[in-house]
Amino acid sequence: MTDTQRFAGYGVLVTGGARGIGAAVARRLAGEGAGVLLADADGPEAERTARRLRAEGLTAGATACDVGDRAAVEAAVAHALDTFGRLDVLVNCAAHCSPDTPLFEDEPDDAWDLDLDITLTGAYRCCRAALPHLAASGRGAVVTIGSVNGLQDFGNHAYSAAKAGLGSLTRTLAGHAAARGVRVNLVLPGTVRTSAWQGREDRLAAVEGLYPLGRIGEPEDIAAAVAFLASRDAAWITGTSLTVDGGLTAVNTGFLSAIERAGG
Ligand SMILES: NC(=O)c1ccc[n+]([C@@H]2O[C@H](COP(=O)([O-])OP(=O)(O)OC[C@H]3O[C@@H](n4cnc5c(N)ncnc54)[C@H](O)[C@@H]3O)[C@@H](O)[C@H]2O)c1
């Protein structure tokens, strides 16, 4: 619980809320007064996370939901409405990232399709199901988690294409939903320490030095940006992308150090 209660009386749905950035977003919004439903393909872990939040005195529930399944998404939205009586904020956090094959031309169709279906179409499915209820709320907001992969080549090309697509979805939905009182924004994280890096922690140490602010991100760094965009503090912000990446994409660290090494 925090002193700031920007979300008192809000009903919030967070996809991919069982762990990582989604769980940090849930904790942040619930800590500021929201009732939060964690919708995750891993139902038991979502329930464990919700239980931990409730043990902290916060309002949280959980539901098993694969954003690849239209009926499951619609059921999760209905579950949030049943639980809180309203839906004010949708946070799209669920995503899928397939490893790149060594050769681009060997990429299997199903890996490309899965990344697009979960990361881009999954967010679309959630927006479509939630929109009428967000419009009814009078203070509705969508915040989607994109990635710096949607801006530059950091590998994982199918995932990156899906993340870039979220920029377009954010802008076109913002245009459609503005007249219905719903704001739609995107957060673009750089590298964040979550379970997505489990078993590859050496990669985190390897890239840390590329970050101008001297560290990789923590889930709470992203949750703070999501809370801002979801709140009335951002009442005149829609259709935008907020990069939260410790300066990674603003500062070309590799170029600057090469110039310095060459004598400036
Ligand atoms: N961690 C990073 O470095 C990083 C960087 C940029 C963007 N992101 C983005 O942040 C978001 C969260 O990533 P994270 O690092 O917290 O990952 P994570 O692996 O820690 O958590 C992701 C959660 O999403 C759930 N999920 C996966 N597929 C799902 C589906 N089909 N339906 C519903 N839930 C599903 C998982 O069960 C898991 O609980 C993702 O959109 C990811 O692309 C992460």
Side-chain angles (χ1 to χ4, degrees), residues 110-182:
D110 56 354
W112 175 270
D113 291 347
L114 185 61
D115 284 13
L116 270 288
D117 187 54
I118 300 303
T119 306
L120 177 57
T121 314
Y124 164 70
R125 283 186 194 97
C126 294
C127 291
R128 182 175 57 188
L131 189 57
H133 311 291
L134 297 173
S137 115
R139 56 193 184 192
V142 176
V143 183
T144 298
I145 307 300
S147 171
V148 292
N149 282 55
L151 301 176
Q152 287 182 19
D153 178 19
F154 292 102
N156 298 111
H157 52 264
Y159 169 82
S160 301
K163 289 294 189 183
L166 288 172
S168 176
L169 175 64
T170 296
R171 289 184 290 275
T172 55
L173 183 57
H176 174 85
R180 299 167 73 181
V182 180

Short mmCIF file of all heavy atoms in Angstrom, two decimals, residues 110-182:
data_model
loop_
_atom_site.label_atom_id
_atom_site.label_comp_id
_atom_site.label_asym_id
_atom_site.label_seq_id
_atom_site.Cartn_x
_atom_site.Cartn_y
_atom_site.Cartn_z
N ASP A 110 5.75 -21.90 -37.85
CA ASP A 110 5.00 -21.89 -36.59
C ASP A 110 5.63 -20.97 -35.54
O ASP A 110 4.93 -20.38 -34.72
CB ASP A 110 4.76 -23.31 -36.05
CG ASP A 110 6.05 -24.09 -35.87
OD1 ASP A 110 7.12 -23.60 -36.25
OD2 ASP A 110 5.97 -25.21 -35.31
N ALA A 111 6.96 -20.78 -35.58
CA ALA A 111 7.59 -19.87 -34.63
C ALA A 111 7.18 -18.43 -34.93
O ALA A 111 6.83 -17.65 -34.04
CB ALA A 111 9.12 -20.01 -34.70
N TRP A 112 7.23 -18.07 -36.22
CA TRP A 112 6.79 -16.72 -36.64
C TRP A 112 5.32 -16.50 -36.24
O TRP A 112 4.96 -15.48 -35.63
CB TRP A 112 6.97 -16.57 -38.17
CG TRP A 112 6.45 -15.28 -38.71
CD1 TRP A 112 5.19 -15.02 -39.16
CD2 TRP A 112 7.18 -14.05 -38.83
NE1 TRP A 112 5.09 -13.71 -39.56
CE2 TRP A 112 6.29 -13.10 -39.38
CE3 TRP A 112 8.50 -13.66 -38.54
CZ2 TRP A 112 6.68 -11.78 -39.63
CZ3 TRP A 112 8.88 -12.34 -38.80
CH2 TRP A 112 7.98 -11.42 -39.34
N ASP A 113 4.47 -17.50 -36.57
CA ASP A 113 3.03 -17.37 -36.31
C ASP A 113 2.75 -17.21 -34.82
O ASP A 113 1.92 -16.39 -34.41
CB ASP A 113 2.27 -18.59 -36.83
CG ASP A 113 2.26 -18.66 -38.35
OD1 ASP A 113 2.60 -17.64 -39.00
OD2 ASP A 113 1.94 -19.74 -38.88
N LEU A 114 3.47 -18.00 -33.98
CA LEU A 114 3.21 -17.96 -32.54
C LEU A 114 3.60 -16.59 -31.95
O LEU A 114 2.85 -16.01 -31.16
CB LEU A 114 4.00 -19.08 -31.84
CG LEU A 114 3.73 -19.24 -30.35
CD1 LEU A 114 2.26 -19.58 -30.08
CD2 LEU A 114 4.62 -20.33 -29.74
N ASP A 115 4.75 -16.06 -32.34
CA ASP A 115 5.16 -14.75 -31.82
C ASP A 115 4.15 -13.66 -32.20
O ASP A 115 3.78 -12.82 -31.37
CB ASP A 115 6.55 -14.37 -32.34
CG ASP A 115 7.66 -15.14 -31.62
OD1 ASP A 115 7.34 -16.11 -30.91
OD2 ASP A 115 8.83 -14.76 -31.76
N LEU A 116 3.71 -13.70 -33.46
CA LEU A 116 2.73 -12.71 -33.91
C LEU A 116 1.39 -12.92 -33.20
O LEU A 116 0.73 -11.96 -32.78
CB LEU A 116 2.53 -12.79 -35.43
CG LEU A 116 3.43 -11.93 -36.32
CD1 LEU A 116 3.03 -10.45 -36.23
CD2 LEU A 116 4.90 -12.05 -36.03
N ASP A 117 0.99 -14.20 -33.06
CA ASP A 117 -0.34 -14.49 -32.50
C ASP A 117 -0.43 -14.10 -31.02
O ASP A 117 -1.44 -13.54 -30.59
CB ASP A 117 -0.67 -15.98 -32.66
CG ASP A 117 -2.10 -16.25 -32.23
OD1 ASP A 117 -3.01 -15.58 -32.77
OD2 ASP A 117 -2.31 -17.10 -31.34
N ILE A 118 0.60 -14.40 -30.23
CA ILE A 118 0.52 -14.09 -28.80
C ILE A 118 0.87 -12.62 -28.55
O ILE A 118 0.14 -11.90 -27.85
CB ILE A 118 1.47 -15.01 -27.99
CG1 ILE A 118 1.09 -16.49 -28.19
CG2 ILE A 118 1.45 -14.63 -26.51
CD1 ILE A 118 -0.34 -16.83 -27.84
N THR A 119 1.94 -12.14 -29.15
CA THR A 119 2.45 -10.81 -28.80
C THR A 119 1.59 -9.69 -29.40
O THR A 119 1.28 -8.71 -28.69
CB THR A 119 3.91 -10.68 -29.30
OG1 THR A 119 4.65 -11.79 -28.77
CG2 THR A 119 4.54 -9.38 -28.86
N LEU A 120 1.23 -9.82 -30.67
CA LEU A 120 0.46 -8.74 -31.33
C LEU A 120 -1.04 -9.03 -31.31
O LEU A 120 -1.83 -8.24 -30.79
CB LEU A 120 0.97 -8.56 -32.76
CG LEU A 120 0.25 -7.54 -33.63
CD1 LEU A 120 0.25 -6.14 -32.99
CD2 LEU A 120 0.89 -7.47 -35.03
N THR A 121 -1.42 -10.18 -31.86
CA THR A 121 -2.87 -10.48 -31.94
C THR A 121 -3.45 -10.69 -30.54
O THR A 121 -4.61 -10.37 -30.30
CB THR A 121 -3.12 -11.70 -32.84
OG1 THR A 121 -2.34 -11.55 -34.03
CG2 THR A 121 -4.57 -11.81 -33.22
N GLY A 122 -2.64 -11.22 -29.61
CA GLY A 122 -3.11 -11.40 -28.24
C GLY A 122 -3.52 -10.06 -27.63
O GLY A 122 -4.59 -9.94 -27.01
N ALA A 123 -2.69 -9.04 -27.81
CA ALA A 123 -3.02 -7.70 -27.29
C ALA A 123 -4.28 -7.17 -27.99
O ALA A 123 -5.16 -6.58 -27.35
CB ALA A 123 -1.85 -6.75 -27.50
N TYR A 124 -4.35 -7.41 -29.30
CA TYR A 124 -5.55 -6.98 -30.06
C TYR A 124 -6.81 -7.64 -29.50
O TYR A 124 -7.83 -6.98 -29.27
CB TYR A 124 -5.35 -7.31 -31.54
CG TYR A 124 -6.61 -7.28 -32.35
CD1 TYR A 124 -7.26 -6.09 -32.62
CD2 TYR A 124 -7.17 -8.47 -32.84
CE1 TYR A 124 -8.43 -6.06 -33.36
CE2 TYR A 124 -8.33 -8.45 -33.57
CZ TYR A 124 -8.96 -7.25 -33.84
OH TYR A 124 -10.12 -7.25 -34.56
N ARG A 125 -6.73 -8.98 -29.25
CA ARG A 125 -7.90 -9.70 -28.70
C ARG A 125 -8.34 -9.09 -27.38
O ARG A 125 -9.53 -8.93 -27.11
CB ARG A 125 -7.55 -11.17 -28.45
CG ARG A 125 -7.52 -12.04 -29.66
CD ARG A 125 -7.30 -13.52 -29.29
NE ARG A 125 -6.94 -14.23 -30.50
CZ ARG A 125 -5.70 -14.51 -30.87
NH1 ARG A 125 -4.68 -14.24 -30.07
NH2 ARG A 125 -5.46 -15.10 -32.01
N CYS A 126 -7.36 -8.77 -26.53
CA CYS A 126 -7.69 -8.23 -25.21
C CYS A 126 -8.31 -6.83 -25.34
O CYS A 126 -9.29 -6.51 -24.66
CB CYS A 126 -6.43 -8.17 -24.33
SG CYS A 126 -5.80 -9.81 -23.94
N CYS A 127 -7.73 -6.01 -26.22
CA CYS A 127 -8.29 -4.66 -26.43
C CYS A 127 -9.73 -4.76 -26.93
O CYS A 127 -10.62 -4.05 -26.46
CB CYS A 127 -7.46 -3.89 -27.45
SG CYS A 127 -5.82 -3.43 -26.86
N ARG A 128 -9.95 -5.66 -27.90
CA ARG A 128 -11.29 -5.80 -28.48
C ARG A 128 -12.31 -6.21 -27.42
O ARG A 128 -13.41 -5.66 -27.34
CB ARG A 128 -11.24 -6.84 -29.60
CG ARG A 128 -12.55 -7.05 -30.32
CD ARG A 128 -12.38 -8.00 -31.49
NE ARG A 128 -11.83 -9.28 -31.09
CZ ARG A 128 -11.44 -10.22 -31.95
NH1 ARG A 128 -11.54 -10.02 -33.24
NH2 ARG A 128 -10.95 -11.36 -31.51
N ALA A 129 -11.93 -7.17 -26.58
CA ALA A 129 -12.88 -7.64 -25.55
C ALA A 129 -13.11 -6.59 -24.47
O ALA A 129 -14.21 -6.48 -23.92
CB ALA A 129 -12.36 -8.93 -24.93
N ALA A 130 -12.07 -5.82 -24.16
CA ALA A 130 -12.15 -4.88 -23.03
C ALA A 130 -12.76 -3.53 -23.41
O ALA A 130 -13.32 -2.83 -22.55
CB ALA A 130 -10.75 -4.65 -22.44
N LEU A 131 -12.66 -3.16 -24.69
CA LEU A 131 -12.96 -1.78 -25.08
C LEU A 131 -14.34 -1.26 -24.66
O LEU A 131 -14.43 -0.16 -24.11
CB LEU A 131 -12.74 -1.60 -26.60
CG LEU A 131 -12.80 -0.16 -27.10
CD1 LEU A 131 -11.80 0.73 -26.37
CD2 LEU A 131 -12.56 -0.13 -28.60
N PRO A 132 -15.43 -2.02 -24.89
CA PRO A 132 -16.74 -1.47 -24.49
C PRO A 132 -16.79 -1.14 -22.99
O PRO A 132 -17.42 -0.15 -22.59
CB PRO A 132 -17.72 -2.60 -24.81
CG PRO A 132 -16.99 -3.53 -25.74
CD PRO A 132 -15.53 -3.36 -25.49
N HIS A 133 -16.11 -1.95 -22.19
CA HIS A 133 -16.15 -1.75 -20.73
C HIS A 133 -15.23 -0.59 -20.32
O HIS A 133 -15.55 0.16 -19.40
CB HIS A 133 -15.76 -3.05 -20.03
CG HIS A 133 -16.53 -4.22 -20.58
ND1 HIS A 133 -17.88 -4.37 -20.36
CD2 HIS A 133 -16.16 -5.24 -21.40
CE1 HIS A 133 -18.30 -5.45 -21.01
NE2 HIS A 133 -17.27 -5.99 -21.64
N LEU A 134 -14.10 -0.47 -21.01
CA LEU A 134 -13.21 0.68 -20.75
C LEU A 134 -13.93 1.97 -21.13
O LEU A 134 -13.81 2.99 -20.43
CB LEU A 134 -11.91 0.54 -21.55
CG LEU A 134 -11.03 -0.67 -21.20
CD1 LEU A 134 -9.86 -0.79 -22.17
CD2 LEU A 134 -10.51 -0.57 -19.76
N ALA A 135 -14.71 1.94 -22.22
CA ALA A 135 -15.46 3.12 -22.65
C ALA A 135 -16.52 3.46 -21.60
O ALA A 135 -16.74 4.64 -21.28
CB ALA A 135 -16.09 2.87 -24.01
N ALA A 136 -17.15 2.43 -21.03
CA ALA A 136 -18.20 2.67 -20.03
C ALA A 136 -17.62 3.24 -18.75
O ALA A 136 -18.33 3.90 -17.98
CB ALA A 136 -18.94 1.36 -19.74
N SER A 137 -16.32 2.99 -18.50
CA SER A 137 -15.72 3.42 -17.23
C SER A 137 -15.61 4.94 -17.12
O SER A 137 -15.65 5.49 -16.03
CB SER A 137 -14.33 2.77 -17.06
OG SER A 137 -13.31 3.72 -17.06
N GLY A 138 -15.46 5.63 -18.26
CA GLY A 138 -15.31 7.08 -18.23
C GLY A 138 -13.88 7.52 -17.95
O GLY A 138 -13.56 8.71 -18.03
N ARG A 139 -13.00 6.56 -17.60
CA ARG A 139 -11.59 6.89 -17.34
C ARG A 139 -10.72 5.73 -17.84
O ARG A 139 -9.68 5.42 -17.28
CB ARG A 139 -11.35 7.14 -15.85
CG ARG A 139 -11.80 5.95 -14.98
CD ARG A 139 -11.86 6.27 -13.51
NE ARG A 139 -12.21 5.08 -12.74
CZ ARG A 139 -12.56 5.08 -11.47
NH1 ARG A 139 -12.64 6.22 -10.80
NH2 ARG A 139 -12.84 3.96 -10.85
N GLY A 140 -11.19 5.11 -18.91
CA GLY A 140 -10.55 3.88 -19.40
C GLY A 140 -9.17 4.13 -19.99
O GLY A 140 -8.91 5.16 -20.62
N ALA A 141 -8.30 3.17 -19.78
CA ALA A 141 -6.95 3.27 -20.34
C ALA A 141 -6.42 1.88 -20.67
O ALA A 141 -6.65 0.92 -19.93
CB ALA A 141 -6.01 3.96 -19.35
N VAL A 142 -5.71 1.81 -21.79
CA VAL A 142 -4.96 0.62 -22.16
C VAL A 142 -3.48 0.99 -22.11
O VAL A 142 -3.09 2.03 -22.65
CB VAL A 142 -5.29 0.15 -23.59
CG1 VAL A 142 -4.42 -1.05 -23.98
CG2 VAL A 142 -6.77 -0.18 -23.74
N VAL A 143 -2.69 0.15 -21.44
CA VAL A 143 -1.24 0.30 -21.52
C VAL A 143 -0.69 -1.05 -21.95
O VAL A 143 -0.95 -2.07 -21.32
CB VAL A 143 -0.60 0.73 -20.19
CG1 VAL A 143 0.90 0.94 -20.38
CG2 VAL A 143 -1.25 2.00 -19.64
N THR A 144 0.03 -1.04 -23.06
CA THR A 144 0.60 -2.28 -23.60
C THR A 144 2.11 -2.25 -23.42
O THR A 144 2.73 -1.18 -23.52
CB THR A 144 0.22 -2.41 -25.09
OG1 THR A 144 -1.21 -2.48 -25.18
CG2 THR A 144 0.82 -3.66 -25.72
N ILE A 145 2.68 -3.41 -23.13
CA ILE A 145 4.14 -3.51 -23.01
C ILE A 145 4.71 -3.90 -24.36
O ILE A 145 4.49 -5.02 -24.84
CB ILE A 145 4.56 -4.54 -21.93
CG1 ILE A 145 3.85 -4.25 -20.59
CG2 ILE A 145 6.08 -4.52 -21.76
CD1 ILE A 145 4.14 -2.90 -19.97
N GLY A 146 5.39 -2.97 -24.98
CA GLY A 146 6.10 -3.24 -26.23
C GLY A 146 7.52 -3.65 -25.91
O GLY A 146 7.78 -4.40 -24.97
N SER A 147 8.47 -3.15 -26.68
CA SER A 147 9.88 -3.45 -26.44
C SER A 147 10.74 -2.54 -27.32
O SER A 147 10.29 -2.13 -28.41
CB SER A 147 10.18 -4.90 -26.79
OG SER A 147 11.57 -5.14 -26.76
N VAL A 148 11.96 -2.29 -26.87
CA VAL A 148 12.91 -1.60 -27.76
C VAL A 148 13.16 -2.43 -29.02
O VAL A 148 13.62 -1.90 -30.03
CB VAL A 148 14.25 -1.29 -27.04
CG1 VAL A 148 14.05 -0.24 -25.96
CG2 VAL A 148 14.89 -2.55 -26.48
N ASN A 149 12.84 -3.73 -28.97
CA ASN A 149 12.96 -4.58 -30.17
C ASN A 149 12.06 -4.10 -31.30
O ASN A 149 12.29 -4.46 -32.45
CB ASN A 149 12.61 -6.04 -29.86
CG ASN A 149 13.72 -6.76 -29.16
OD1 ASN A 149 14.19 -6.32 -28.13
ND2 ASN A 149 14.17 -7.87 -29.73
N GLY A 150 11.03 -3.31 -30.97
CA GLY A 150 10.17 -2.74 -32.01
C GLY A 150 10.78 -1.53 -32.67
O GLY A 150 10.23 -1.01 -33.65
N LEU A 151 11.93 -1.06 -32.14
CA LEU A 151 12.58 0.16 -32.66
C LEU A 151 13.86 -0.13 -33.42
O LEU A 151 14.20 0.57 -34.37
CB LEU A 151 12.93 1.11 -31.49
CG LEU A 151 11.81 1.61 -30.61
CD1 LEU A 151 12.38 2.44 -29.46
CD2 LEU A 151 10.82 2.44 -31.43
N GLN A 152 14.64 -1.10 -32.92
CA GLN A 152 15.95 -1.41 -33.50
C GLN A 152 16.11 -2.92 -33.56
O GLN A 152 15.37 -3.65 -32.91
CB GLN A 152 17.08 -0.88 -32.59
CG GLN A 152 17.27 0.61 -32.60
CD GLN A 152 18.45 1.02 -31.70
OE1 GLN A 152 19.30 0.21 -31.36
NE2 GLN A 152 18.47 2.27 -31.32
N ASP A 153 17.16 -3.37 -34.26
CA ASP A 153 17.45 -4.80 -34.31
C ASP A 153 18.25 -5.23 -33.09
O ASP A 153 19.43 -4.87 -32.96
CB ASP A 153 18.23 -5.12 -35.59
CG ASP A 153 18.60 -6.60 -35.66
OD1 ASP A 153 17.96 -7.41 -34.94
OD2 ASP A 153 19.51 -6.95 -36.44
N PHE A 154 17.58 -5.95 -32.19
CA PHE A 154 18.27 -6.58 -31.06
C PHE A 154 18.15 -8.10 -31.17
O PHE A 154 18.28 -8.81 -30.18
CB PHE A 154 17.66 -6.12 -29.73
CG PHE A 154 17.90 -4.67 -29.42
CD1 PHE A 154 16.88 -3.74 -29.61
CD2 PHE A 154 19.12 -4.22 -28.95
CE1 PHE A 154 17.09 -2.40 -29.32
CE2 PHE A 154 19.34 -2.88 -28.66
CZ PHE A 154 18.32 -1.96 -28.85
N GLY A 155 17.87 -8.61 -32.38
CA GLY A 155 17.63 -10.03 -32.57
C GLY A 155 16.16 -10.37 -32.36
O GLY A 155 15.33 -9.49 -32.12
N ASN A 156 15.82 -11.67 -32.47
CA ASN A 156 14.44 -12.15 -32.31
C ASN A 156 13.49 -11.44 -33.27
O ASN A 156 12.62 -10.66 -32.87
CB ASN A 156 13.97 -11.99 -30.85
CG ASN A 156 14.82 -12.80 -29.90
OD1 ASN A 156 15.58 -12.22 -29.11
ND2 ASN A 156 14.76 -14.11 -29.98
N HIS A 157 13.64 -11.74 -34.56
CA HIS A 157 12.96 -10.91 -35.55
C HIS A 157 11.44 -11.07 -35.59
O HIS A 157 10.75 -10.10 -35.88
CB HIS A 157 13.58 -11.08 -36.94
CG HIS A 157 13.69 -12.49 -37.39
ND1 HIS A 157 14.84 -13.22 -37.25
CD2 HIS A 157 12.79 -13.30 -37.97
CE1 HIS A 157 14.64 -14.43 -37.74
NE2 HIS A 157 13.41 -14.50 -38.17
N ALA A 158 10.92 -12.28 -35.29
CA ALA A 158 9.45 -12.42 -35.30
C ALA A 158 8.84 -11.63 -34.14
O ALA A 158 7.89 -10.86 -34.31
CB ALA A 158 9.07 -13.90 -35.20
N TYR A 159 9.43 -11.81 -32.96
CA TYR A 159 9.01 -11.06 -31.77
C TYR A 159 9.13 -9.55 -32.03
O TYR A 159 8.23 -8.77 -31.68
CB TYR A 159 9.91 -11.50 -30.62
CG TYR A 159 9.87 -10.72 -29.34
CD1 TYR A 159 8.88 -10.92 -28.38
CD2 TYR A 159 10.88 -9.79 -29.04
CE1 TYR A 159 8.90 -10.23 -27.18
CE2 TYR A 159 10.90 -9.10 -27.84
CZ TYR A 159 9.90 -9.32 -26.91
OH TYR A 159 9.92 -8.63 -25.71
N SER A 160 10.22 -9.13 -32.69
CA SER A 160 10.45 -7.71 -32.94
C SER A 160 9.38 -7.15 -33.88
O SER A 160 8.89 -6.03 -33.68
CB SER A 160 11.84 -7.49 -33.54
OG SER A 160 12.82 -7.96 -32.64
N ALA A 161 9.03 -7.93 -34.90
CA ALA A 161 7.99 -7.48 -35.83
C ALA A 161 6.66 -7.33 -35.08
O ALA A 161 5.92 -6.36 -35.29
CB ALA A 161 7.84 -8.48 -36.97
N ALA A 162 6.38 -8.27 -34.19
CA ALA A 162 5.14 -8.19 -33.40
C ALA A 162 5.16 -6.96 -32.50
O ALA A 162 4.16 -6.24 -32.37
CB ALA A 162 4.97 -9.46 -32.56
N LYS A 163 6.31 -6.70 -31.87
CA LYS A 163 6.41 -5.54 -30.97
C LYS A 163 6.28 -4.23 -31.75
O LYS A 163 5.68 -3.27 -31.28
CB LYS A 163 7.74 -5.58 -30.20
CG LYS A 163 7.80 -6.69 -29.14
CD LYS A 163 6.82 -6.44 -28.01
CE LYS A 163 7.02 -7.40 -26.84
NZ LYS A 163 6.01 -7.20 -25.77
N ALA A 164 6.85 -4.19 -32.97
CA ALA A 164 6.69 -2.99 -33.81
C ALA A 164 5.22 -2.81 -34.17
O ALA A 164 4.71 -1.68 -34.18
CB ALA A 164 7.54 -3.12 -35.06
N GLY A 165 4.53 -3.92 -34.44
CA GLY A 165 3.10 -3.85 -34.77
C GLY A 165 2.28 -3.26 -33.64
O GLY A 165 1.26 -2.60 -33.88
N LEU A 166 2.73 -3.47 -32.40
CA LEU A 166 1.99 -2.91 -31.26
C LEU A 166 2.00 -1.38 -31.29
O LEU A 166 1.08 -0.74 -30.78
CB LEU A 166 2.60 -3.40 -29.94
CG LEU A 166 2.36 -4.87 -29.59
CD1 LEU A 166 3.17 -5.28 -28.36
CD2 LEU A 166 0.86 -5.14 -29.36
N GLY A 167 3.04 -0.78 -31.90
CA GLY A 167 3.08 0.68 -32.03
C GLY A 167 1.93 1.15 -32.91
O GLY A 167 1.23 2.13 -32.58
N SER A 168 1.71 0.45 -34.01
CA SER A 168 0.63 0.81 -34.92
C SER A 168 -0.73 0.56 -34.27
O SER A 168 -1.63 1.40 -34.33
CB SER A 168 0.77 0.01 -36.21
OG SER A 168 -0.31 0.29 -37.06
N LEU A 169 -0.87 -0.61 -33.62
CA LEU A 169 -2.14 -0.91 -32.93
C LEU A 169 -2.45 0.18 -31.90
O LEU A 169 -3.60 0.63 -31.77
CB LEU A 169 -2.05 -2.28 -32.25
CG LEU A 169 -3.25 -2.68 -31.39
CD1 LEU A 169 -4.52 -2.83 -32.23
CD2 LEU A 169 -2.98 -4.00 -30.64
N THR A 170 -1.42 0.61 -31.17
CA THR A 170 -1.61 1.65 -30.15
C THR A 170 -2.13 2.95 -30.78
O THR A 170 -3.09 3.56 -30.28
CB THR A 170 -0.28 1.90 -29.41
OG1 THR A 170 0.08 0.69 -28.73
CG2 THR A 170 -0.38 3.05 -28.43
N ARG A 171 -1.53 3.35 -31.89
CA ARG A 171 -1.94 4.61 -32.51
C ARG A 171 -3.33 4.51 -33.13
O ARG A 171 -4.16 5.42 -32.96
CB ARG A 171 -0.91 5.02 -33.57
CG ARG A 171 0.41 5.47 -32.97
CD ARG A 171 1.38 5.97 -34.02
NE ARG A 171 1.89 4.90 -34.87
CZ ARG A 171 2.95 4.13 -34.58
NH1 ARG A 171 3.60 4.31 -33.45
NH2 ARG A 171 3.34 3.18 -35.41
N THR A 172 -3.62 3.42 -33.84
CA THR A 172 -4.93 3.33 -34.51
C THR A 172 -6.05 3.15 -33.49
O THR A 172 -7.12 3.75 -33.63
CB THR A 172 -4.97 2.20 -35.56
OG1 THR A 172 -4.60 0.97 -34.93
CG2 THR A 172 -4.03 2.48 -36.71
N LEU A 173 -5.78 2.38 -32.45
CA LEU A 173 -6.82 2.21 -31.42
C LEU A 173 -7.00 3.52 -30.63
O LEU A 173 -8.12 3.87 -30.26
CB LEU A 173 -6.46 1.05 -30.48
CG LEU A 173 -7.50 0.72 -29.40
CD1 LEU A 173 -8.86 0.40 -30.02
CD2 LEU A 173 -7.04 -0.46 -28.55
N ALA A 174 -5.90 4.23 -30.40
CA ALA A 174 -6.01 5.53 -29.72
C ALA A 174 -6.92 6.45 -30.51
O ALA A 174 -7.78 7.15 -29.95
CB ALA A 174 -4.62 6.16 -29.54
N GLY A 175 -6.77 6.44 -31.84
CA GLY A 175 -7.61 7.28 -32.70
C GLY A 175 -9.07 6.88 -32.60
O GLY A 175 -9.96 7.73 -32.46
N HIS A 176 -9.32 5.58 -32.62
CA HIS A 176 -10.70 5.10 -32.55
C HIS A 176 -11.33 5.36 -31.18
O HIS A 176 -12.49 5.74 -31.07
CB HIS A 176 -10.74 3.59 -32.84
CG HIS A 176 -12.09 3.01 -32.66
ND1 HIS A 176 -13.06 3.02 -33.64
CD2 HIS A 176 -12.67 2.44 -31.57
CE1 HIS A 176 -14.16 2.48 -33.18
NE2 HIS A 176 -13.96 2.11 -31.92
N ALA A 177 -10.53 5.14 -30.14
CA ALA A 177 -11.11 5.11 -28.78
C ALA A 177 -11.16 6.48 -28.11
O ALA A 177 -11.84 6.64 -27.09
CB ALA A 177 -10.30 4.14 -27.91
N ALA A 178 -10.47 7.47 -28.68
CA ALA A 178 -10.40 8.78 -28.02
C ALA A 178 -11.79 9.36 -27.80
O ALA A 178 -12.11 9.85 -26.70
CB ALA A 178 -9.54 9.74 -28.84
N ALA A 179 -12.63 9.27 -28.83
CA ALA A 179 -13.98 9.86 -28.72
C ALA A 179 -14.81 9.10 -27.70
O ALA A 179 -15.84 9.60 -27.23
CB ALA A 179 -14.67 9.84 -30.08
N ARG A 180 -14.37 7.87 -27.35
CA ARG A 180 -15.10 7.07 -26.35
C ARG A 180 -14.46 7.22 -24.96
O ARG A 180 -14.76 6.46 -24.04
CB ARG A 180 -15.15 5.61 -26.79
CG ARG A 180 -15.87 5.47 -28.14
CD ARG A 180 -15.67 4.10 -28.77
NE ARG A 180 -16.39 3.04 -28.10
CZ ARG A 180 -16.35 1.76 -28.46
NH1 ARG A 180 -15.64 1.39 -29.51
NH2 ARG A 180 -17.02 0.86 -27.79
N GLY A 181 -13.52 8.16 -24.85
CA GLY A 181 -12.92 8.48 -23.55
C GLY A 181 -11.87 7.50 -23.08
O GLY A 181 -11.53 7.46 -21.90
N VAL A 182 -11.32 6.72 -24.02
CA VAL A 182 -10.33 5.70 -23.64
C VAL A 182 -8.97 6.11 -24.21
O VAL A 182 -8.85 6.39 -25.41
CB VAL A 182 -10.71 4.30 -24.16
CG1 VAL A 182 -9.66 3.26 -23.77
CG2 VAL A 182 -12.08 3.89 -23.64
#
